[in-house]
Each structure stands twice: as C-alpha cells, then as structure tokens.
Amino acid sequence: VVKVYSPSKKLEFEWHCSKEYVSSLALSRDGKQLFVAAIGVDNAEIYTRLLAFKTDKSEPKFDVKIKDTAMLKVLRQTGNKYVAVGNNKTVILTRSGKVKEEITYADDALYTVENDRNNNILLCYKEFGGSKIKMIKIPKSSSENKQAEIDYLPTSIDIKGNDIACALADTVRV
C-alpha cells in the first residue's frame, strides 16, 4: 500500500499494489504528483511497472510496463520528464508515459545516481570491466544529455548544476 498524507496528517492518496513490490517513490514538492516503480515477476520474467498519479485521483496518469529490469530508483524531473533507474537500464519517459529514451548498460554496472536540488540527474555506470565510469547528465530543462568518462572509480560523486565533483582518496576533481 502506498499512502500520501498532507502536512496536517490527512490521508490524501492511497494505492494498493498486490502483485508487485514497490521499489521506489518520487513525490513532487507540492505533494500533488507521485511517481512509483513496482517490481514484479510474470512467468519467471522480471518487469517493472512505472506509474504516475495525481494524488487527488485513484487512477494513474500512465502505467508503463518495462520488461527484463528491476527499477531501483525513480526521479520526477519538474517539467516534462520522468526518470527511472534500473539494474541494467535507465528509462526517460515523457509526462504522458511514452518512452523517450532508454540508456542500457550491463547488469550490475550501475555505480550511482545523484540529483541536485534543481532536478538535474547524474547517472554513473561502470564500463570496460569496471575500469572506467561513464557519466551521463540528464538535465532538467534541456532535452540533450551530456556524457563524460573518467578512468577511475571515485569514492564519491556529486552534482550541482553544471558542476560534477568526483573524489578519489584525498583528491577531489570538479
């Protein structure tokens, strides 16, 4: 069961998910929109349902089934994008639930996903046996993603606007 409460503790929204496991939620800042990832299995095949709700309605705005992946984190970017990050792919959806872009990577290659307060997203996954990190910045407002690679596995990564900081032992590179 997924429930959303107002600041005064009034129940605003309730959704029952009986067949799947809810793996991630993203609630808009005003509490009026909710993005949900629910993982399930059908005939020994894993899938994730991605659903977007307005919290004043019980029916989803969209309900998209993505096969062969477990979505681990969902992020709602203000404006026109929803982003779902999984164990082997990241999916960018339009506000109507249409798949706009799919970024694939090897199983278990996901390194981290970060977002800043402006809803820019940084997706990082390992390549070449883990010797390199591919970084993809999914900007809030632009439709074009930016990519970069680094030749080491950082201990920490953070994003703020156009700046990306990567730490390795006692060194931080921006």
Side-chain angles (χ1 to χ4, degrees):
V1 177
V2 175
K3 296 181 180 183
V4 177
Y5 292 91
S6 70
S8 62
K9 299 182 181 142
K10 178 184 170 222
L11 182 63
E12 298 284 330
F13 175 81
E14 185 172 346
W15 178 64
H16 295 266
C17 179
S18 59
K19 285 181 30 177
E20 295 101 3
Y21 166 78
V22 174
S23 62
S24 184
L25 303 167
L27 186 64
S28 62
R29 288 186 182 171
D30 63 4
K32 296 187 187 290
Q33 297 194 52
L34 180 67
F35 186 34
V36 179
I39 300 171
V41 177
D42 189 20
N43 293 327
E45 296 286 326
I46 194 165
Y47 66 88
T48 302
R49 282 175 65 199
L50 300 172
L51 304 100
F53 294 94
K54 288 189 174 185
T55 56
D56 62 349
K57 296 184 174 22
S58 60
E59 292 301 312
K61 289 186 344 182
F62 65 76
D63 183 348
V64 177
K65 190 174 185 178
I66 307 290
K67 294 180 179 181
D68 302 321
T69 194
M71 292 299 175
L72 308 171
K73 184 167 182 72
V74 292
L75 301 132
R76 181 182 181 280
Q77 288 186 302
T78 54
N80 59 359
K81 290 189 251 182
Y82 293 85
V83 179
V85 179
N87 63 315
N88 60 0
K89 69 178 78 171
T90 293
V91 178
I92 301 170
L93 304 168
T94 65
R95 77 173 83 187
S96 63
K98 182 180 174 199
V99 175
K100 181 177 179 180
E101 184 177 354
E102 188 173 287
I103 302 164
T104 59
Y105 35 88
D107 285 344
D108 302 321
L110 180 64
Y111 192 69
T112 189
V113 60
E114 305 292 333
N115 63 308
D116 66 12
R117 63 180 11 194
N118 295 323
N119 292 318
N120 294 300
I121 296 170
L122 181 65
L123 170 70
C124 302
Y125 57 91
K126 295 180 264 186
E127 287 190 320
F128 305 107
S131 63
K132 293 181 184 259
I133 294 288
K134 175 87 153 230
M135 298 185 297
I136 300 177
K137 179 186 173 196
I138 305 168
K140 173 184 93 172
S141 55
S142 169
S143 61
E144 191 170 317
N145 299 335
K146 305 221 185 299
Q147 298 185 23
E149 283 185 359
I150 54 175
D151 293 330
Y152 58 93
L153 295 179
T155 54
S156 184
I157 297 177
D158 198 13
I159 180 174
K160 297 285 184 272
N162 289 323
D163 294 329
I164 298 169
C166 300
L168 177 63
D170 60 352
T171 304
V172 175
R173 294 182 187 168
V174 178

